[in-house]
Amino acid sequence: MNECEECNPVRVTTTRRRFLIALIAIASSLLGVILGLPFINALIGSKVRTAKDKWIRVAELQAIPEGEPVRLNFVMNGQDAFIQQTTVHSVWVIRRSPAELTAFSPICPHAGCYYNWSAGLKRFDCPCHGSIFRIDGPVVSGPAPRPLDTLPVKIENGTLYVIWQRFKAGVPEKIEI
């Protein structure tokens, strides 16, 4: 016998079977990591993204008339794992002065219907159950349990930005959902 074989009685040889087992283990691990990334991103990444992407560009200030509510549409892009979504939302914006704006959610706080501005009557009317709101948001009449829901706004370089939020309908408190 050879001296080296006596010194090292356990001899490891690379066979085709061991090579294929190692190759399959490495490939399976890589595949698991690749498929797991969207799941991890959905759990962790969405919370990070929402913190920086909350402010949504809605319109230029010069496009918003003063003293008259205007409904403005804007596009939101979202991603959940591999699924990308583009949704169109709207807000009612009232420009009270050159630098003061109020943005209302377009959803009635009573049952979640979309209300409209009645220019002739100078009020917001909900067609579903007859709630009526003043131009500044308080309930005039109807079953609505609270005033119109306001949204956070900011003006930056002549552009209006809004944080889009939805609120629970039918309750007296403004609860974000």
Side-chain angles (χ1 to χ4, degrees):
M1 274 195 126
N2 193 346
E3 266 185 54
C4 289
E5 290 177 16
E6 290 176 4
C7 295
N8 189 6
V10 178
R11 186 170 177 205
V12 177
T13 58
T14 303
T15 62
R16 190 176 343 168
R17 179 174 288 178
R18 287 188 189 185
F19 174 74
L20 289 175
I21 289 172
L23 186 66
I24 290 171
I26 291 170
S28 298
S29 298
L30 285 173
L31 187 62
V33 169
I34 290 169
L35 292 176
L37 285 176
F39 177 71
I40 292 167
N41 186 34
L43 290 177
I44 298 169
S46 63
K47 290 178 178 37
V48 173
R49 269 194 313 275
T50 55
K52 69 174 184 174
D53 292 342
K54 279 191 168 187
W55 290 104
I56 299 139
R57 183 185 178 282
V58 176
E60 297 296 321
L61 281 183
Q62 61 196 16
I64 303 170
E66 199 169 315
E68 187 75 17
V70 61
R71 188 176 195 157
L72 300 172
N73 295 328
F74 58 93
V75 176
M76 282 182 57
N77 296 316
Q79 183 174 352
D80 186 16
F82 290 117
I83 301 170
Q84 290 189 348
Q85 295 177 330
T86 300
T87 54
V88 177
H89 293 288
S90 64
V91 292
W92 282 100
V93 177
I94 302 168
R95 186 173 182 180
R96 302 192 187 291
S97 70
E100 184 185 351
L101 291 149
T102 303
F104 293 111
S105 168
I107 302 168
C108 179
H110 172 243
C113 304
Y114 284 80
Y115 58 86
N116 296 306
W117 172 248
S118 176
L121 299 172
K122 300 276 188 203
R123 66 184 190 193
F124 290 107
D125 294 324
C126 181
C128 296
H129 298 101
S131 291
I132 298 171
F133 305 90
R134 287 193 339 218
I135 191 170
D136 54 345
V139 180
V140 174
S141 69
R146 65 176 183 270
L148 295 176
D149 297 319
T150 57
L151 300 171
V153 297
K154 79 174 179 179
I155 300 168
E156 203 171 84
N157 298 326
T159 304
L160 170 65
Y161 292 87
V162 173
I163 295 178
W164 173 250
Q165 299 171 318
R166 287 199 59 133
F167 302 98
K168 189 172 184 178
V171 295
E173 303 87 23
K174 186 175 165 182
I175 301 170
E176 189 177 355
I177 53 172

